[in-house]
Amino acid sequence: MNSSNISSTSGTSSTSGTSDSVSSRPRGRALVLGGGGSAGNAWLIGVIAGLCDVGLDVADADLLVGTSAGATAAAQIAMASPAELLAAVDAEDWPAAGEAGPGRSRLTTIRPPSNHMEVMTQVIAAADDPADMRRGIGAAALERDAANGGSAPNRWRDTVAARLPAQRWPRQRLMITAIDADTGEPVVFTRESGVELVDAVAASTSNGFGGPPYRIGERRYLDGGYRRNENADLATGCDRVLVLSPLGGRTLHPHEWGMQLSAQVEELRDAGSTVETILPDDASLEAFGGNMMDLSTRPPAARAGYEQGRRTGKELDGFWLGTD
């Protein structure tokens, strides 16, 4: 990660998804929002609000690409102002990790991480390539679901719906990523997919270990971060691409697989896009703490993101407006 935390460089689908071919995407500007848990979602909103506050409204991009926590943020900024979203996060009052607050138990304060990272590490070590890894993750999540009875009600939809300002797909071009749990195939949901927005976001935010894979019709889906954490390559064909990565562009996968953000940026650059990335600065990383799923980190993460957005907005002005 460089000192300024800004760097400059000049799938397939299943039954319910849409093709991610370049011809289906607009030119112009794309905003790509990566995954990163509860803290990452709040940081994304904060950065976008900070940029907007200094005159850079990146939420007006021609294309929004959202993955996991970034899928929620992308849907949110498409339907509400960044200032409103930031105020809502700042007003949240969650107990710190391990504490119980008024009306909240420890279990509702943090979604249990289960053995997600251990399973991920094992599956990656055994996989030959990303496709093999996705199939392995899907099989592990389905096995866990079956061991838990396979019929537990999935309340995740209600949780996701409560986070969205509206339930309709926006007019803006919006891509929400997921993978098919049964086949491991990447999926890209858009308003043409015939899937409700809340279901697309719920699928993209379902890691399969804190809860069951998310069912839409006869298919079951998992977190879009299993394709790539940022999925910035889906913006291929856009002239200018801004990527916000709460996880700092890191990956657990072997670098030769090309899953890391730097590989995605290189692909975009080779296709003719100019790319900027914003990664968490030191203050933001401190706000995240040691558990990005800890809901109590959301207000400080959002505030840190807001300050970072304000500081970096002027540096991005020419890039976003096309005056460089």
Side-chain angles (χ1 to χ4, degrees), residues 17-71:
T18 64
S19 169
D20 59 9
S21 65
V22 172
S23 62
S24 70
R25 289 177 240 129
R27 296 193 66 83
R29 302 172 299 181
L31 177 63
V32 178
L33 305 179
S38 299
N41 169 265
W43 179 80
L44 290 167
I45 290 171
V47 171
I48 295 167
L51 292 171
C52 189
D53 201 40
V54 295
L56 201 64
D57 184 10
V58 298
D60 71 350
D62 301 290
L63 170 66
L64 298 173
V65 177
T67 295
S68 196

Side-chain angles (χ1 to χ4, degrees), residues 72-92:
T72 306
Q76 289 169 325
I77 66 167
M79 294 177 288
S81 75
E84 291 172 332
L85 295 169
L86 177 63
V89 174
D90 201 44
E92 295 174 4

Side-chain angles (χ1 to χ4, degrees), residues 14-310:
S14 68
T15 306
S16 299
T18 64
S19 169
D20 59 9
S21 65
V22 172
S23 62
S24 70
R25 289 177 240 129
R27 296 193 66 83
R29 302 172 299 181
L31 177 63
V32 178
L33 305 179
S38 299
N41 169 265
W43 179 80
L44 290 167
I45 290 171
V47 171
I48 295 167
L51 292 171
C52 189
D53 201 40
V54 295
L56 201 64
D57 184 10
V58 298
D60 71 350
D62 301 290
L63 170 66
L64 298 173
V65 177
T67 295
S68 196
T72 306
Q76 289 169 325
I77 66 167
M79 294 177 288
S81 75
E84 291 172 332
L85 295 169
L86 177 63
V89 174
D90 201 44
E92 295 174 4
D93 182 22
W94 293 99
E99 297 179 359
R104 302 187 184 97
S105 70
R106 294 200 299 180
L107 291 178
T108 57
T109 301
I110 308 171
R111 291 186 69 193
S114 69
N115 62 341
H116 180 206
M117 295 305 296
E118 179 182 347
V119 172
M120 277 288 294
T121 301
Q122 292 174 350
V123 169
I124 291 171
D128 295 325
D129 53 36
D132 193 26
M133 178 273 296
R134 288 190 290 267
R135 288 190 294 269
I137 286 292
L142 293 173
E143 181 180 353
R144 180 184 179 89
D145 188 34
N148 289 335
S151 59
N154 194 332
R155 300 183 179 88
W156 190 232
R157 189 181 200 277
D158 292 338
T159 300
V160 171
R163 295 172 176 171
L164 302 184
Q167 305 300 305
R168 66 185 183 280
W169 283 90
R171 290 187 177 183
Q172 226 170 339
R173 183 68 168 163
L174 171 61
M175 290 181 165
I176 302 294
T177 65
I179 70 165
D180 187 306
D182 294 280
T183 66
E185 288 294 313
V187 178
V188 178
F189 294 109
T190 71
R191 63 173 173 262
E192 291 85 16
S193 298
V195 169
E196 292 187 25
L197 176 62
V198 63
D199 290 314
V201 175
S204 188
T205 53
S206 178
N207 69 32
F209 297 92
Y214 189 79
R215 182 179 291 275
I216 303 176
E218 297 301 314
R219 309 304 300 176
R220 292 172 291 184
Y221 298 95
L222 292 170
D223 198 306
Y226 294 128
R227 180 186 183 274
R228 273 174 156 177
N229 187 60
E230 296 84 13
N231 291 299
D233 58 290
L234 293 179
T236 300
C238 290
D239 301 309
R240 298 182 297 284
V241 183
L242 176 61
V243 186
L244 275 60
S245 175
L247 295 180
R250 301 186 302 274
T251 182
L252 295 173
H253 306 93
H255 273 221
E256 58 267 26
W257 287 5
M259 300 283 276
Q260 66 273 20
L261 178 57
S262 60
Q264 299 170 52
V265 169
E266 184 176 353
E267 292 168 22
L268 288 166
R269 181 178 65 243
D270 289 345
S273 298
T274 300
V275 185
E276 295 272 6
T277 66
I278 301 182
L279 314 178
D281 59 13
D282 289 342
S284 297
L285 293 173
E286 183 177 354
F288 293 169
N291 180 5
M292 294 182 74
M293 297 304 295
D294 180 356
L295 295 173
S296 70
T297 65
R298 285 178 54 76
R303 289 191 289 270
Y306 174 76
E307 294 301 330
Q308 185 176 359
R310 282 183 54 84

